[in-house]
Amino acid sequence: MFKIVERKELNPTVTKLVIEAPLVAKKAQPGQFIIVRANADSERIPLTVADYDRENGTVTIIFQVVGESTMELNELSVGQCVHDFVGPLGVASHLDGLKKVAVVGGGVGCAIAYPIAKRLHELGCEVHSIVGFRNKDLVILEDEFNACSDKLIVMTDDGSYGQKGVVTAPLEQLIEQGEQYDEVIAIGPLIMMKFVALTTKKHNIKTVVSMNPIMIDGTGMCGGCRLTVGGETKFACVDGPDFDGHLVDFDEAMQRGNMYQAFEKHAREEHCNLLHKTAE
Amino acid sequence: MALHNMDPKRCPMPSQDPNIRNKNFEEVALGYTPEMAINEAKRCLGCKHKPCQSGCPVGIDIPAFIGKVAENDFEGAYQVLSTSSALPAVCGRVCPQETQCEGKCVRAIKGESVGIGRLERFVADWHREHSNTPATVPAPNGHKVAIIGAGPSGLTAAGDLAKLGYKVTVYEALHLAGGVLVYGIPEFRLPKSIVQQEIEGLQAMGVEIQTNMVIGKVLTIDELMEEYGYEAVYIASGAGLPRFMGIPGESLKGVYSANEYLTRVNLMKAYLPDSKTPIQKSHSVAVVGGGNVAMDAARSAKRLGAENVYIVYRRGMDELPARKEEIEHAEEEGIIFKILTNPVAVLGDENGCVKGMECVEMELGEPDESGRRRPVVKPDSNFVLDVDTMIMSIGTSPNPLIRSTTPGLETNRHGCIVTNGDDGLTSREGVYAGGDAVTGAATVILAMGAGKHAAKAIHEYIQSK
């Protein structure tokens, strides 16, 4: 059992939990993830390590409430425990030696992009961050990004905050203005990562994406998270989650991602109905 | 001495009707009653040279325990069993006895062998239901041993070392201990409550089990030995990395590895209506492969409501590697065997879901180096099997996590850890390995045998230091 020591709602659908897990905190690195089960009968779900404090032995996760499992997690308060917390899993992001990087985050993916931007900044790299959200209410981690970025561009789909539009527009603009990036790191919805990869491909800039397929064990024993990368089958949980964005088959990944859509919709509605009943 | 029962046939074991059981996940075989057990036990001739014992990888004194059953001393029988086996209720159910203890029984020369597995199961179940004797906690000997993996091999080694007084900690990557006993073998062959109780028995003896610990990630073997003070480590991490065929369409929705399918069903209990973990609702399922895992996956798919379930295997019925009993059970439950058939592509619909499997027919040619006749493709024999789910059960290999994070640990080209003969010593001092991590995917009882040998070797190593 792993105790929750801090809880903060970053926006109406995104929550941050700081969890006591000293062994995980000791080893975690940016780009790695954990598998969590909120309760004894919960599903195993993967979440990226958003931050860690080796001294205090805590690991931070940030998640968007999208279905039953994240609802269960969201219902836990400070002092309560998550039942299982396994990690750190996956390969850490390779950040050493980079001189200038554009970090592109979309929605809750910014929670994963942030520790990478922070680490790059600590390593002395010039960081340009481009973060995108659907609207003003969903903006997260702006101050944190500001603190570790040499340039920060905030985008919203509806223009209610920052600039209006999607993240690929300012990225393309920066590249065309002559910014020479060693690498672009994109983390967010699959469709966003796909279009970032298409944008950078034109300019031949190395692009790393953090994939988020369906997972169960997260240790390489089932292959549920498999992806096609450069024509080869890879397991995101052990070979990734970071991959070369120009080699990933995004269309296949998007299709595999909706495999249990009907079940998930049903579970979410059931759960909401239960909530209604308790409220009454 | 009671008279022997000279019936050439063994006492049949009651079981659920095939057409009822293929719709539920309850145990298929129901076990002997005390009368049946005594009756069957009396078929044992109590041979002095005990050929059956030599066929048991953990060396149970079989005539001794069966003799106690014949005398109606079930607790006495359990005491004999428990000196050799840490998990008798499990072994009595899942061991391939026909090629082990029962394969050596002299009664098999003229008739059927004694039902040793059934009797072992009966005794272990009887003990669990009737005995309240608290576990004896052995006197500590002051030494610490770490075990990686809470599957059958790790648990057996843990039990044997704990009995000798070692402080044993088992590190398990999943949230539940048991390894293949909890994620692989289905409830209808091995009820999970039984596995749980056997594990609790080990814990009562002082074995500590730490779940959610992925060794190689959260801690390395070097850290366990240098920082945590374990004098020896036993690697029993199994062979859990699934193989795929590399044919077109394997990434389509509806293609599972047997590991994923069975993990969802067994460990995550996706067969229960209120499970939080989903599983595909299938109409027609093809399971590719012919081993016990393939039978488990096929029988699970049938129970989840699939109308047609096919075992697709490239050799013939005689070459199926699964246990005969499992094949018979599968046939009784309505599983269809498509033998001499090999998939060449998975076909998908416009939504990326499986809609069929293109196969070729095979015929058997000359025997290959393994002694089995090599399957050869029949020209122009392509056909499509209409399925919406495909489960790949063509084998697994050891996970690379431990070998990639343990310097100096020698492995072979299959990724299996190399050990020195029977005792399981690896290329690293104080580090032992056994079970599927060494052999590649094999059986539960062989893994348990390896655990026993390693425990003995670790004991000798620590005592001689």
Side-chain angles (χ1 to χ4, degrees), chain A residues 2 23-24 26-27 32 37 39 41-44 68-69 72 83-91 214-217 219-228 233 235 238 252 255-260 263-264 271, chain B residues 173-176 183 210-214 217-220 223 227-228 240-242 244 250-257 259-260 263-264 267-268 274-281 349-353 399-401:
Chain A
F2 300 81
L23 288 173
V24 185
K26 201 174 157 192
K27 286 286 172 70
Q32 289 189 298
R37 288 202 320 145
N39 304 312
D41 64 345
S42 297
E43 194 181 0
R44 295 170 69 96
E68 193 186 21
S69 301
E72 287 180 340
H83 201 276
D84 299 289
F85 195 80
V86 196
L89 300 169
V91 181
I214 294 171
M215 284 189 191
I216 307 173
D217 60 288
T219 63
M221 64 167 264
C222 85
C225 66
R226 63 192 187 278
L227 303 163
T228 306
T233 296
F235 290 3
V238 286
E252 178 190 285
Q255 230 159 25
R256 282 185 65 82
N258 67 22
M259 177 155 180
Y260 297 105
F263 180 96
E264 284 160 5
H271 197 95
Chain B
L174 291 174
H175 59 265
L176 259 187
Y183 77 73
Q210 289 201 17
T211 53
N212 293 325
M213 295 289 276
V214 183
K217 284 288 178 190
V218 70
L219 289 172
T220 62
E223 286 170 324
E227 290 170 33
Y228 287 73
L241 193 78
F244 289 90
E250 263 180 319
S251 294
L252 288 163
K253 286 182 282 183
V255 181
Y256 287 92
S257 71
N259 262 12
E260 178 181 358
T263 299
R264 284 179 181 272
L267 178 71
M268 305 313 295
D274 57 350
S275 168
K276 306 272 170 79
T277 301
I279 187 120
Q280 169 139 332
K281 296 268 172 289
D349 65 13
E350 66 283 2
N351 298 316
C353 297
N399 194 302
L401 262 185

Side-chain angles (χ1 to χ4, degrees), chain B residues 7-275:
Chain B
D7 190 334
K9 290 210 177 264
R10 62 171 81 171
C11 173
M13 180 150 60
S15 63
Q16 277 197 74
D17 180 85
N19 271 316
I20 294 173
R21 72 179 194 238
N22 66 9
K23 296 173 190 66
N24 68 50
F25 273 81
E26 284 153 39
E27 196 171 14
V28 166
L30 303 171
Y32 279 160
T33 62
E35 296 71 32
M36 290 173 186
I38 293 170
N39 203 26
E40 180 63 22
K42 285 182 177 166
R43 292 185 64 235
C44 175
L45 303 178
C47 309
K48 289 252 158 24
H49 64 302
K50 305 177 191 175
C52 50
Q53 186 174 7
S54 70
C56 172
V58 297
I60 292 173
D61 188 343
I62 292 164
F65 103 78
I66 292 183
K68 298 277 187 199
V69 176
E71 292 163 17
N72 201 2
D73 177 7
F74 303 146
E75 184 57 27
Y78 180 78
Q79 294 309 326
V80 177
L81 277 182
S82 66
T83 55
S84 307
S85 172
L87 310 163
V90 171
C91 292
R93 286 173 166 82
V94 305
C95 275
Q97 289 102 2
E98 63 277 14
T99 59
Q100 297 179 330
C101 54
E102 292 177 11
K104 304 253 166 125
C105 176
V106 298
R107 292 296 307 262
I109 300 165
K110 284 185 186 170
E112 291 181 345
S113 66
V114 174
I116 301 168
R118 297 167 177 194
L119 289 169
E120 179 184 24
R121 167 193 162 136
F122 167 79
V123 170
D125 288 356
W126 188 92
H127 172 82
R128 199 178 56 251
E129 283 154 25
H130 294 89
S131 174
N132 304 312
T133 31
T136 35
V137 181
N141 68 6
H143 298 283
K144 281 170 73 175
V145 177
I147 292 177
I148 320 299
S153 197
L155 293 177
T156 301
D160 279 18
L161 288 164
K163 278 181 199 163
L164 293 166
Y166 288 90
K167 168 102 193 66
V168 181
T169 309
V170 184
Y171 292 97
E172 166 57 43
L174 291 174
H175 59 265
L176 259 187
V180 75
L181 308 177
V182 296
Y183 77 73
I185 302 175
E187 185 77 16
F188 56 82
R189 278 218 290 142
L190 179 64
K192 301 303 152 234
S193 58
I194 288 172
V195 179
Q196 196 48 41
Q197 287 190 39
E198 296 219 324
I199 289 168
E200 281 164 16
L202 289 174
Q203 288 170 313
M205 250 172 17
V207 172
E208 186 194 352
I209 298 179
Q210 289 201 17
T211 53
N212 293 325
M213 295 289 276
V214 183
I215 300 301
K217 284 288 178 190
V218 70
L219 289 172
T220 62
I221 286 179
D222 287 295
E223 286 170 324
L224 288 174
M225 298 184 86
E226 283 155 26
E227 290 170 33
Y228 287 73
Y230 292 105
E231 291 163 79
V233 174
Y234 179 51
I235 305 171
S237 47
L241 193 78
R243 289 201 192 108
F244 289 90
M245 291 184 79
I247 57 175
E250 263 180 319
S251 294
L252 288 163
K253 286 182 282 183
V255 181
Y256 287 92
S257 71
N259 262 12
E260 178 181 358
Y261 196 78
L262 291 170
T263 299
R264 284 179 181 272
V265 173
N266 299 322
L267 178 71
M268 305 313 295
K269 306 226 174 292
Y271 68 89
L272 296 175
D274 57 350
S275 168

Side-chain angles (χ1 to χ4, degrees), chain A residues 100-104 120 126-130 171 174 181-186:
Chain A
K100 188 168 178 177
V101 170
V103 177
V104 185
L120 283 168
E126 183 178 342
V127 178
H128 294 182
S129 299
I130 306 168
L171 176 66
L174 286 169
Y181 297 119
D182 300 339
E183 198 171 297
V184 171
I185 301 177

